[in-house]
Amino acid sequence: MRQLKKVIKEAINDAGIKKALDQEGVVIRWGEFVGKKISSVSTAERASAGILVVRVDTSAWRQELHLQKEEIIKNINKKFGSKVIKEIRFI
């Protein structure tokens, strides 16, 4: 089983799709990165070229998340061990 895991990782790296898969992982795991309270008022919609787009329910929350943006990016990239996200756009 360990051998298969290694082969899959190598195939992903060789195909050049690791970054795209990691970015999709951010979208899927948004709630894990920001917690229940923030994920209850926001939804990660998509990520491409290092830019994460997040829909926010209210302008007040959009402003709050904008203030926390750098910390959220830092947390995401730390968990992935690489610079997966460089910018977040709150809409």
Side-chain angles (χ1 to χ4, degrees):
M1 188 63 155
R2 187 177 297 268
Q3 194 70 316
L4 178 60
K5 185 176 181 180
K6 183 179 177 183
V7 170
I8 291 171
K9 278 186 175 182
E10 288 175 3
I12 288 171
N13 287 333
D14 291 347
I17 59 172
K18 182 178 181 343
K19 191 164 189 167
L21 290 174
D22 286 348
Q23 289 179 17
E24 186 60 29
V26 172
V27 173
I28 293 167
R29 296 168 55 192
W30 173 249
E32 179 184 324
F33 298 121
V34 297
K36 286 182 179 182
K37 187 172 188 173
I38 292 174
S39 66
S40 72
V41 296
S42 63
T43 305
E45 293 196 338
R46 63 187 176 279
S48 180
I51 300 170
L52 176 64
V53 177
V54 178
R55 182 165 304 280
V56 185
D57 291 350
T58 67
S59 60
W61 269 109
R62 191 175 309 115
Q63 179 64 27
E64 177 61 31
L65 291 179
H66 184 73
L67 294 172
Q68 295 182 34
K69 178 168 65 172
E70 293 304 318
E71 190 62 33
I72 294 169
I73 292 171
K74 184 177 166 183
N75 184 32
I76 290 169
N77 291 335
K78 182 178 178 184
K79 289 193 179 188
F80 276 91
S82 65
K83 193 167 184 172
V84 176
I85 300 298
K86 61 182 180 183
E87 174 66 36
I88 301 176
R89 293 190 183 146
F90 298 106
I91 58 171

XYZ file of all heavy atoms in Angstrom:
726
model
N 0.828 -1.202 0.000
C 0.000 0.000 0.000
C 0.869 1.262 0.000
O 0.556 2.215 -0.668
C -0.935 -0.042 1.212
C -1.953 1.045 1.189
S -3.029 0.871 -0.246
C -4.445 1.688 0.311
N 1.938 1.224 0.752
C 2.828 2.380 0.815
C 3.414 2.671 -0.564
O 3.564 3.810 -0.954
C 3.929 2.121 1.835
C 4.805 3.322 2.082
C 5.829 3.050 3.156
N 5.232 2.775 4.452
C 4.983 3.692 5.375
N 5.267 4.941 5.143
N 4.457 3.366 6.534
N 3.721 1.623 -1.309
C 4.277 1.783 -2.647
C 3.287 2.484 -3.583
O 3.658 3.354 -4.346
C 4.665 0.407 -3.200
C 5.537 0.467 -4.408
C 6.943 0.962 -4.096
O 7.148 1.909 -3.361
N 7.928 0.318 -4.682
N 2.013 2.108 -3.506
C 0.982 2.720 -4.336
C 0.850 4.206 -4.022
O 0.735 5.042 -4.920
C -0.362 2.007 -4.136
C -1.550 2.569 -4.914
C -1.281 2.513 -6.410
C -2.807 1.807 -4.569
N 0.897 4.553 -2.746
C 0.803 5.949 -2.326
C 1.955 6.760 -2.921
O 1.763 7.867 -3.420
C 0.815 6.033 -0.797
C 0.601 7.412 -0.241
C 0.534 7.375 1.274
C 0.291 8.731 1.857
N 0.225 8.713 3.320
N 3.144 6.181 -2.899
C 4.319 6.847 -3.446
C 4.175 7.051 -4.961
O 4.474 8.121 -5.487
C 5.571 6.027 -3.142
C 6.850 6.665 -3.603
C 8.052 5.815 -3.242
C 9.328 6.448 -3.786
N 10.495 5.612 -3.517
N 3.691 6.042 -5.648
C 3.499 6.116 -7.098
C 2.475 7.194 -7.448
O 2.668 7.975 -8.383
C 3.072 4.739 -7.668
C 2.634 4.860 -9.118
C 4.208 3.732 -7.533
N 1.392 7.268 -6.691
C 0.353 8.279 -6.936
C 0.913 9.683 -6.717
O 0.677 10.586 -7.528
C -0.893 8.017 -6.066
C -1.588 6.736 -6.542
C -1.839 9.209 -6.104
C -2.699 6.266 -5.635
N 1.659 9.876 -5.631
C 2.257 11.188 -5.363
C 3.196 11.602 -6.483
O 3.188 12.747 -6.933
C 3.024 11.174 -4.037
C 2.172 11.355 -2.827
C 3.028 11.477 -1.585
C 2.176 11.775 -0.385
N 2.977 11.940 0.839
N 4.005 10.659 -6.950
C 4.937 10.962 -8.039
C 4.184 11.314 -9.319
O 4.572 12.235 -10.040
C 5.876 9.780 -8.282
C 6.908 9.608 -7.194
C 7.767 8.354 -7.369
O 7.593 7.632 -8.376
O 8.602 8.104 -6.489
N 3.111 10.593 -9.603
C 2.319 10.862 -10.806
C 1.688 12.252 -10.745
O 1.675 12.980 -11.746
C 1.239 9.798 -10.973
N 1.190 12.621 -9.589
C 0.588 13.946 -9.406
C 1.640 15.031 -9.601
O 1.404 16.020 -10.293
C -0.090 14.051 -8.021
C -1.366 13.200 -8.012
C -0.388 15.496 -7.659
C -2.000 13.047 -6.647
N 2.803 14.838 -9.004
C 3.881 15.822 -9.146
C 4.351 15.914 -10.593
O 4.560 17.004 -11.121
C 5.051 15.481 -8.223
C 4.741 15.762 -6.770
O 3.926 16.615 -6.460
N 5.380 15.039 -5.881
N 4.528 14.774 -11.243
C 4.993 14.754 -12.628
C 3.985 15.392 -13.576
O 4.367 16.003 -14.572
C 5.295 13.321 -13.079
C 6.517 12.730 -12.379
O 7.266 13.500 -11.734
O 6.713 11.501 -12.464
N 2.708 15.237 -13.291
C 1.663 15.806 -14.148
C 1.490 17.302 -13.922
O 0.801 17.974 -14.684
C 0.338 15.082 -13.909
N 2.089 17.822 -12.856
C 1.994 19.250 -12.577
C 0.639 19.695 -12.055
O 0.261 20.850 -12.230
N -0.083 18.803 -11.420
C -1.422 19.162 -10.939
C -1.511 19.264 -9.417
O -2.570 19.520 -8.875
C -2.493 18.172 -11.454
C -2.181 16.748 -10.996
C -2.623 18.264 -12.957
C -3.277 15.753 -11.306
N -0.379 19.110 -8.735
C -0.402 19.162 -7.270
C -0.961 20.490 -6.760
O -1.809 20.519 -5.878
C 0.984 18.924 -6.688
C 0.979 18.920 -5.168
C 2.323 18.649 -4.594
C 2.381 18.602 -3.093
N 1.329 19.138 -2.309
N -0.504 21.591 -7.334
C -0.960 22.907 -6.869
C -2.471 23.067 -7.070
O -3.172 23.561 -6.200
C -0.204 24.020 -7.584
C -0.438 25.375 -6.966
C 0.576 26.379 -7.420
C 0.423 27.641 -6.602
N 1.537 28.550 -6.743
N -2.976 22.622 -8.210
C -4.418 22.707 -8.474
C -5.200 21.842 -7.487
O -6.251 22.264 -6.993
C -4.724 22.282 -9.902
N -4.694 20.658 -7.198
C -5.364 19.788 -6.228
C -5.329 20.400 -4.829
O -6.323 20.333 -4.102
C -4.713 18.398 -6.215
C -4.948 17.542 -7.454
C -4.123 16.265 -7.374
C -6.419 17.222 -7.617
N -4.194 20.992 -4.460
C -4.101 21.651 -3.151
C -5.082 22.817 -3.059
O -5.750 23.004 -2.034
C -2.678 22.151 -2.899
C -1.702 21.035 -2.575
O -2.153 19.887 -2.313
O -0.487 21.302 -2.578
N -5.203 23.600 -4.124
C -6.126 24.731 -4.110
C -7.570 24.249 -3.983
O -8.363 24.846 -3.256
C -5.942 25.583 -5.363
C -4.648 26.355 -5.343
C -4.416 27.181 -6.578
O -5.323 27.448 -7.359
N -3.188 27.612 -6.766
N -7.897 23.175 -4.661
C -9.248 22.611 -4.531
C -9.463 22.103 -3.104
O -10.556 22.228 -2.548
C -9.466 21.486 -5.544
C -10.871 20.957 -5.570
C -11.924 22.005 -5.932
O -11.622 22.967 -6.659
O -13.077 21.848 -5.475
N -8.404 21.580 -2.505
C -8.473 21.136 -1.111
C -8.795 22.280 -0.162
O -9.510 22.101 0.822
N -8.286 23.459 -0.458
C -8.589 24.641 0.367
C -10.083 24.950 0.300
O -10.723 25.215 1.324
C -7.763 25.866 -0.078
C -8.229 27.121 0.652
C -6.282 25.625 0.162
N -10.641 24.899 -0.895
C -12.073 25.174 -1.074
C -12.894 24.161 -0.272
O -13.812 24.533 0.467
C -12.459 25.138 -2.574
C -13.965 25.258 -2.746
C -11.736 26.252 -3.331
N -12.539 22.901 -0.401
C -13.281 21.838 0.280
C -13.138 21.934 1.799
O -14.107 21.720 2.529
C -12.793 20.458 -0.221
C -13.188 20.273 -1.693
C -13.347 19.329 0.633
C -12.502 19.109 -2.369
N -11.959 22.305 2.277
C -11.682 22.318 3.721
C -11.791 23.711 4.352
O -11.315 23.929 5.464
C -10.283 21.750 3.956
C -10.163 20.301 3.537
C -8.731 19.811 3.487
N -8.036 20.008 4.745
C -6.713 19.879 4.876
N -5.977 19.557 3.847
N -6.139 20.078 6.052
N -12.429 24.660 3.696
C -12.549 26.036 4.181
C -12.950 26.097 5.658
O -12.333 26.810 6.444
C -13.541 26.802 3.309
C -13.880 28.177 3.805
C -15.076 28.584 4.308
C -13.012 29.320 3.850
N -15.020 29.918 4.654
C -13.760 30.396 4.392
C -11.692 29.539 3.499
C -13.214 31.660 4.572
C -11.146 30.813 3.679
C -11.905 31.853 4.210
N -13.979 25.369 6.034
C -14.455 25.395 7.416
C -13.404 24.952 8.417
O -13.339 25.459 9.541
N -12.558 24.043 8.028
C -11.468 23.569 8.897
C -10.460 24.685 9.173
O -9.918 24.788 10.267
C -10.772 22.397 8.203
C -9.614 21.812 8.951
C -8.921 20.723 8.159
O -9.606 19.963 7.435
O -7.687 20.637 8.256
N -10.233 25.534 8.194
C -9.248 26.603 8.344
C -9.773 27.793 9.139
O -9.007 28.447 9.832
C -8.769 27.088 6.970
C -8.081 26.023 6.173
C -8.567 25.646 4.946
C -6.954 25.386 6.659
C -7.933 24.661 4.211
C -6.316 24.392 5.936
C -6.809 24.030 4.704
N -11.070 28.070 9.037
C -11.612 29.279 9.675
C -12.528 29.008 10.855
O -12.883 29.936 11.577
C -12.335 30.176 8.642
C -11.371 30.675 7.590
C -13.508 29.457 8.004
N -12.941 27.795 11.054
C -13.810 27.461 12.176
C -15.290 27.585 11.849
O -15.678 28.101 10.799
N -16.119 27.109 12.790
C -17.568 27.045 12.575
C -18.221 28.410 12.401
O -19.076 28.596 11.537
C -18.248 26.317 13.738
C -18.051 24.833 13.740
C -18.802 24.198 14.889
C -18.619 22.698 14.892
N -19.378 22.057 15.970
N -17.827 29.350 13.246
C -18.490 30.662 13.214
C -18.307 31.348 11.861
O -19.280 31.794 11.245
C -17.945 31.547 14.334
C -18.681 32.845 14.493
C -18.234 33.580 15.733
C -19.118 34.774 15.980
N -18.804 35.406 17.256
N -17.073 31.405 11.385
C -16.813 32.073 10.112
C -17.367 31.263 8.944
O -17.932 31.820 8.005
C -15.309 32.360 9.942
C -14.878 33.418 10.964
C -14.988 32.814 8.520
C -13.396 33.690 11.009
N -17.237 29.943 9.012
C -17.742 29.132 7.900
C -19.268 29.155 7.820
O -19.834 28.870 6.770
C -17.234 27.695 7.982
O -17.749 27.034 9.106
N -19.924 29.547 8.929
C -21.388 29.642 8.889
C -21.858 30.888 8.129
O -23.010 30.972 7.716
C -21.974 29.633 10.301
O -21.712 30.857 10.963
N -20.948 31.856 7.926
C -21.311 33.091 7.217
C -20.529 33.281 5.923
O -20.623 34.332 5.283
C -21.126 34.331 8.123
C -22.063 34.272 9.318
C -19.681 34.495 8.536
N -19.764 32.260 5.539
C -18.957 32.379 4.330
C -18.790 31.021 3.657
O -18.874 29.985 4.309
C -17.584 32.956 4.666
O -16.879 32.075 5.523
N -18.538 31.068 2.342
C -18.351 29.853 1.562
C -17.214 30.070 0.575
O -17.260 31.024 -0.213
C -19.631 29.517 0.768
O -20.729 29.430 1.671
C -19.485 28.213 0.014
N -16.224 29.195 0.622
C -15.160 29.242 -0.376
C -15.743 28.701 -1.677
O -16.278 27.597 -1.710
C -13.969 28.419 0.077
N -15.680 29.490 -2.728
C -16.294 29.105 -4.000
C -15.322 28.478 -4.981
O -15.659 27.521 -5.660
C -16.977 30.300 -4.644
C -18.166 30.769 -3.854
C -19.058 31.685 -4.652
O -18.606 32.292 -5.643
O -20.239 31.791 -4.268
N -14.116 29.045 -5.074
C -13.146 28.516 -6.029
C -11.761 29.063 -5.707
O -11.621 30.059 -5.011
C -13.530 28.880 -7.455
C -13.548 30.364 -7.747
C -14.110 30.687 -9.135
N -14.211 32.121 -9.352
C -15.182 32.899 -8.919
N -16.174 32.377 -8.225
N -15.200 34.192 -9.178
N -10.748 28.385 -6.250
C -9.371 28.847 -6.118
C -8.651 28.556 -7.424
O -8.793 27.476 -8.000
C -8.677 28.146 -4.961
N -7.908 29.540 -7.885
C -7.160 29.395 -9.130
C -5.990 30.369 -9.112
O -6.148 31.513 -8.647
C -8.076 29.687 -10.319
O -7.368 29.548 -11.526
N -4.855 29.921 -9.593
C -3.649 30.764 -9.667
C -3.305 31.381 -8.307
O -2.846 32.513 -8.231
C -3.819 31.840 -10.726
N -3.584 30.643 -7.228
C -3.262 31.117 -5.892
C -4.254 32.091 -5.298
O -4.036 32.632 -4.216
N -5.363 32.336 -5.991
C -6.376 33.281 -5.513
C -7.628 32.511 -5.102
O -8.217 31.792 -5.905
C -6.722 34.320 -6.592
C -5.464 35.104 -6.983
C -7.830 35.257 -6.102
C -5.625 35.973 -8.199
N -7.995 32.668 -3.841
C -9.181 32.028 -3.282
C -10.323 33.033 -3.279
O -10.161 34.159 -2.801
C -8.892 31.550 -1.856
C -10.028 30.933 -1.065
C -10.509 29.635 -1.726
C -9.587 30.669 0.374
N -11.470 32.622 -3.806
C -12.651 33.491 -3.834
C -13.647 32.960 -2.806
O -14.024 31.783 -2.845
C -13.295 33.528 -5.239
C -14.558 34.367 -5.229
C -12.295 34.048 -6.261
N -14.036 33.835 -1.876
C -14.927 33.452 -0.781
C -16.159 34.351 -0.784
O -16.040 35.580 -0.759
C -14.202 33.571 0.585
C -15.139 33.233 1.732
C -12.968 32.681 0.613
N -17.336 33.745 -0.823
C -18.593 34.493 -0.747
C -18.952 34.677 0.733
O -18.932 33.725 1.502
C -19.718 33.758 -1.468
C -21.034 34.530 -1.446
C -22.042 34.012 -2.436
N -21.566 33.975 -3.812
C -21.506 35.019 -4.636
N -21.879 36.211 -4.197
N -21.091 34.888 -5.871
N -19.276 35.911 1.099
C -19.578 36.255 2.493
C -21.011 36.784 2.562
O -21.444 37.543 1.691
C -18.584 37.306 3.027
C -18.826 37.580 4.498
C -17.137 36.847 2.803
N -21.740 36.379 3.604
C -23.162 36.711 3.728
C -23.452 38.204 3.886
O -24.427 38.702 3.336
C -23.784 35.963 4.909
C -23.883 34.466 4.667
O -23.657 34.018 3.521
O -24.190 33.743 5.637
N -22.624 38.914 4.654
C -22.920 40.329 4.919
C -21.672 41.188 4.733
O -20.538 40.704 4.816
C -23.422 40.541 6.364
O -22.350 40.251 7.268
C -24.633 39.671 6.670
N -21.906 42.469 4.524
C -20.776 43.389 4.362
C -19.974 43.526 5.653
O -18.752 43.712 5.611
C -21.256 44.753 3.881
O -22.163 45.315 4.805
N -20.642 43.424 6.792
C -19.933 43.505 8.075
C -18.948 42.333 8.210
O -17.795 42.521 8.613
C -20.928 43.504 9.229
N -19.404 41.139 7.874
C -18.514 39.977 7.919
C -17.425 40.085 6.863
O -16.280 39.672 7.093
C -19.297 38.678 7.763
C -19.730 38.122 9.079
C -21.000 38.090 9.571
C -18.896 37.547 10.073
N -20.996 37.520 10.823
C -19.708 37.172 11.148
C -17.527 37.310 10.168
C -19.214 36.580 12.304
C -17.019 36.711 11.314
C -17.862 36.358 12.371
N -17.749 40.618 5.701
C -16.740 40.792 4.646
C -15.611 41.680 5.161
O -14.430 41.384 4.970
C -17.392 41.395 3.404
C -16.507 41.366 2.188
C -17.215 41.869 0.922
N -18.495 41.196 0.706
C -19.683 41.795 0.752
N -19.778 43.090 0.997
N -20.789 41.118 0.559
N -15.964 42.754 5.836
C -14.963 43.660 6.402
C -14.132 42.953 7.469
O -12.904 43.076 7.504
C -15.640 44.905 6.987
C -14.678 45.887 7.622
C -13.712 46.495 6.625
O -13.997 46.608 5.438
N -12.555 46.889 7.103
N -14.781 42.217 8.334
C -14.072 41.482 9.397
C -13.086 40.481 8.800
O -11.940 40.377 9.244
C -15.081 40.759 10.296
C -14.456 39.924 11.385
C -13.617 40.706 12.376
O -13.917 41.883 12.636
O -12.641 40.133 12.898
N -13.522 39.751 7.800
C -12.642 38.755 7.177
C -11.495 39.421 6.422
O -10.382 38.890 6.389
C -13.434 37.837 6.248
C -14.406 36.902 6.968
C -15.173 36.054 5.960
C -13.687 36.014 7.959
N -11.774 40.560 5.844
C -10.704 41.300 5.178
C -9.597 41.647 6.175
O -8.407 41.561 5.857
C -11.259 42.559 4.511
C -10.227 43.307 3.736
N -9.730 42.851 2.539
C -9.577 44.457 4.012
C -8.811 43.704 2.108
N -8.711 44.688 2.985
N -9.987 42.020 7.386
C -9.012 42.342 8.425
C -8.221 41.107 8.874
O -7.075 41.217 9.308
C -9.710 42.971 9.637
C -10.354 44.335 9.395
C -11.173 44.755 10.604
C -9.296 45.379 9.061
N -8.817 39.933 8.758
C -8.170 38.685 9.171
C -7.486 37.957 8.009
O -6.891 36.894 8.198
C -9.201 37.739 9.792
C -9.806 38.251 11.069
C -10.774 37.244 11.654
O -10.580 36.036 11.552
N -11.830 37.730 12.275
N -7.547 38.526 6.832
C -7.104 37.850 5.609
C -5.676 37.303 5.694
O -5.438 36.139 5.366
C -7.232 38.804 4.426
C -6.743 38.211 3.122
C -7.128 39.023 1.925
C -6.500 40.372 1.874
N -6.758 41.061 0.594
N -4.735 38.100 6.119
C -3.335 37.652 6.168
C -3.156 36.462 7.108
O -2.413 35.532 6.801
C -2.406 38.802 6.562
C -2.325 39.900 5.517
C -1.902 39.404 4.146
O -0.985 38.560 4.062
O -2.495 39.850 3.154
N -3.848 36.488 8.220
C -3.767 35.382 9.177
C -4.392 34.107 8.597
O -3.866 33.004 8.789
C -4.451 35.760 10.490
C -4.226 34.786 11.614
C -2.761 34.655 12.021
O -2.007 35.640 11.939
O -2.361 33.545 12.433
N -5.491 34.249 7.884
C -6.146 33.096 7.253
C -5.224 32.493 6.198
O -5.038 31.271 6.144
C -7.505 33.498 6.642
C -8.492 33.904 7.744
C -8.083 32.347 5.818
C -9.765 34.561 7.234
N -4.612 33.327 5.368
C -3.688 32.846 4.336
C -2.517 32.112 4.984
O -2.124 31.022 4.544
C -3.195 34.016 3.452
C -4.335 34.572 2.608
C -2.022 33.573 2.561
C -3.998 35.860 1.874
N -1.973 32.701 6.017
C -0.836 32.095 6.730
C -1.221 30.721 7.286
O -0.462 29.754 7.162
C -0.406 33.036 7.856
C 0.796 32.600 8.622
C 1.140 33.680 9.656
C 2.117 33.166 10.678
N 2.390 34.171 11.709
N -2.399 30.617 7.873
C -2.882 29.362 8.443
C -3.056 28.289 7.358
O -2.640 27.143 7.529
C -4.193 29.605 9.184
C -4.717 28.373 9.875
O -3.961 27.531 10.330
N -6.028 28.262 9.962
N -3.657 28.665 6.251
C -3.865 27.722 5.147
C -2.527 27.206 4.628
O -2.317 25.992 4.496
C -4.668 28.386 4.003
C -6.117 28.623 4.439
C -4.611 27.529 2.735
C -6.910 29.508 3.487
N -1.617 28.116 4.331
C -0.329 27.725 3.762
C 0.503 26.895 4.737
O 1.203 25.972 4.326
C 0.434 28.954 3.284
C -0.205 29.589 2.072
O -0.902 28.936 1.308
N 0.012 30.873 1.888
N 0.381 27.197 6.017
C 1.099 26.420 7.037
C 0.609 24.972 7.041
O 1.402 24.036 7.100
C 0.903 27.054 8.415
C 1.641 26.350 9.523
C 1.435 27.058 10.851
C 2.138 26.308 11.960
N 1.874 26.928 13.263
N -0.692 24.786 6.957
C -1.248 23.427 6.971
C -0.872 22.642 5.727
O -0.726 21.429 5.780
C -2.762 23.468 7.159
C -3.143 23.875 8.557
C -4.588 23.617 8.868
C -4.858 24.048 10.302
N -6.162 23.670 10.757
N -0.686 23.317 4.598
C -0.293 22.638 3.371
C 1.219 22.523 3.228
O 1.712 21.759 2.399
C -0.876 23.344 2.138
C -2.285 22.919 1.841
C -3.358 23.610 2.382
C -2.546 21.824 1.046
C -4.662 23.216 2.126
C -3.841 21.418 0.787
C -4.906 22.119 1.327
N 1.947 23.300 4.005
C 3.403 23.238 3.943
C 3.987 23.899 2.704
O 5.151 23.699 2.380
N 3.190 24.691 2.013
C 3.661 25.437 0.847
C 2.714 26.610 0.600
O 1.641 26.683 1.179
C 3.733 24.540 -0.390
O 2.448 24.098 -0.758
N 3.134 27.497 -0.292
C 2.321 28.694 -0.569
C 1.235 28.347 -1.591
O 1.365 28.611 -2.786
C 3.202 29.835 -1.057
C 2.477 31.151 -1.054
C 3.417 32.304 -1.219
C 2.623 33.591 -1.096
N 3.475 34.745 -1.050
N 0.161 27.779 -1.095
C -0.964 27.365 -1.938
C -1.829 28.574 -2.283
O -2.266 28.731 -3.416
C -1.811 26.290 -1.212
C -3.035 25.913 -2.012
C -0.959 25.067 -0.920
N -2.070 29.432 -1.297
C -2.917 30.618 -1.474
C -2.080 31.872 -1.249
O -1.376 31.981 -0.253
C -4.112 30.594 -0.490
C -4.986 29.363 -0.717
C -4.937 31.882 -0.587
C -5.633 29.269 -2.094
N -2.150 32.815 -2.197
C -1.422 34.075 -2.044
C -2.350 35.265 -1.832
O -1.940 36.305 -1.379
C -0.518 34.321 -3.238
C -1.247 34.443 -4.565
C -0.290 34.631 -5.728
C -1.070 34.744 -7.012
N -0.196 34.860 -8.164
N -3.640 35.071 -2.167
C -4.615 36.160 -2.047
C -6.002 35.571 -1.804
O -6.316 34.492 -2.285
C -4.629 36.978 -3.353
C -5.677 38.062 -3.441
C -5.434 39.194 -2.438
O -4.267 39.536 -2.176
O -6.430 39.703 -1.912
N -6.819 36.300 -1.043
C -8.215 35.928 -0.848
C -9.065 37.126 -1.278
O -8.799 38.252 -0.862
C -8.544 35.564 0.608
C -7.701 34.393 1.091
C -10.036 35.218 0.743
C -7.895 34.025 2.557
N -10.057 36.845 -2.086
C -11.019 37.877 -2.490
C -12.362 37.545 -1.866
O -12.929 36.479 -2.134
C -11.129 37.936 -4.010
C -9.851 38.415 -4.640
C -10.000 38.719 -6.090
N -8.706 39.098 -6.614
C -8.290 38.823 -7.829
N -9.083 38.162 -8.660
N -7.108 39.192 -8.223
N -12.851 38.448 -1.049
C -14.146 38.267 -0.401
C -15.205 38.985 -1.226
O -15.085 40.165 -1.522
C -14.109 38.808 1.022
C -13.114 38.101 1.896
C -11.919 38.691 2.261
C -13.382 36.815 2.357
C -11.004 38.039 3.059
C -12.470 36.155 3.164
C -11.280 36.763 3.510
N -16.242 38.239 -1.610
C -17.308 38.830 -2.426
C -18.640 38.678 -1.724
O -18.788 37.914 -0.805
C -17.379 38.204 -3.834
C -17.614 36.684 -3.753
C -16.111 38.507 -4.603
C -17.909 36.033 -5.074
